[in-house]
Amino acid sequence: MQQIIKTTLGVCFAAGLAFSAHAGEAPMEISGATTVDAEGVITLIESTPDLVILDNRSVADYDAGHIEGAIRLIDTDITGAADLAAHVPAMDSPVLFYCNGLSCGRAANAAEMAVDYGYTNVSYYALGMTEWRDLGLPLVTN
């Protein structure tokens, strides 16, 4: 029994260290945006019919699996407000940004840009595909 507890604690400790290492790479919160977890994403999708979901990952990552209804727009392709306006019709339109999680940072960059451009209904899925996949939630592939 003690061995099981030690092993479990070791795994939790290692997971905590891994999370801490990633936590410094991208912020958990973006000023002016609402941070959501997987449950929050699902709630947004179910309750917000006009939600724009922007996947801020590479083509390969997007093709390998993305949240249903997501539009791929990598952060480096957002060079001005017009790039977001092409997908998000109004400054108060609900928009969700996600990427591969805290180790990625692309969604954080994109959400910060949206807020800076004046978007007021911005959601940021900080844990992104890392959490989504860990929870076994559905993905659409190309």
Side-chain angles (χ1 to χ4, degrees):
M1 183 61 133
Q2 280 185 324
Q3 185 58 38
I4 293 172
I5 293 171
K6 285 180 186 178
T7 301
T8 302
L9 287 174
V11 168
C12 290
F13 179 73
L17 285 178
F19 182 77
S20 296
H22 292 305
E25 296 177 26
M28 276 297 293
E29 297 183 5
I30 302 295
S31 180
T34 302
T35 299
V36 294
D37 59 7
E39 185 177 333
V41 171
I42 293 166
T43 298
L44 275 173
I45 291 169
E46 291 175 343
S47 66
T48 315
D50 56 344
L51 177 67
V52 177
I53 305 170
L54 294 178
D55 184 315
N56 306 118
R57 301 175 305 145
S58 70
V59 172
D61 284 346
Y62 179 84
D63 288 348
H66 56 273
I67 295 172
E68 184 175 353
I71 301 163
R72 193 192 81 76
L73 180 64
I74 198 161
D75 64 324
T76 53
D77 287 344
I78 303 171
T79 59
D83 295 318
L84 279 178
H87 303 286
V88 187
M91 291 295 192
D92 63 347
S93 294
V95 59
L96 169 70
F97 295 90
Y98 77 89
C99 62
N100 285 320
L102 295 174
S103 63
C104 178
R106 291 184 178 281
N109 293 340
E112 283 178 6
M113 284 187 264
V115 170
D116 289 346
Y117 294 145
Y119 286 87
T120 59
N121 198 353
V122 176
S123 294
Y124 166 55
Y125 183 21
L127 299 177
M129 284 295 100
T130 301
E131 179 186 51
W132 196 265
R133 281 193 178 100
D134 286 350
L135 294 174
L137 294 169
L139 294 170
V140 175
T141 57
N142 289 350

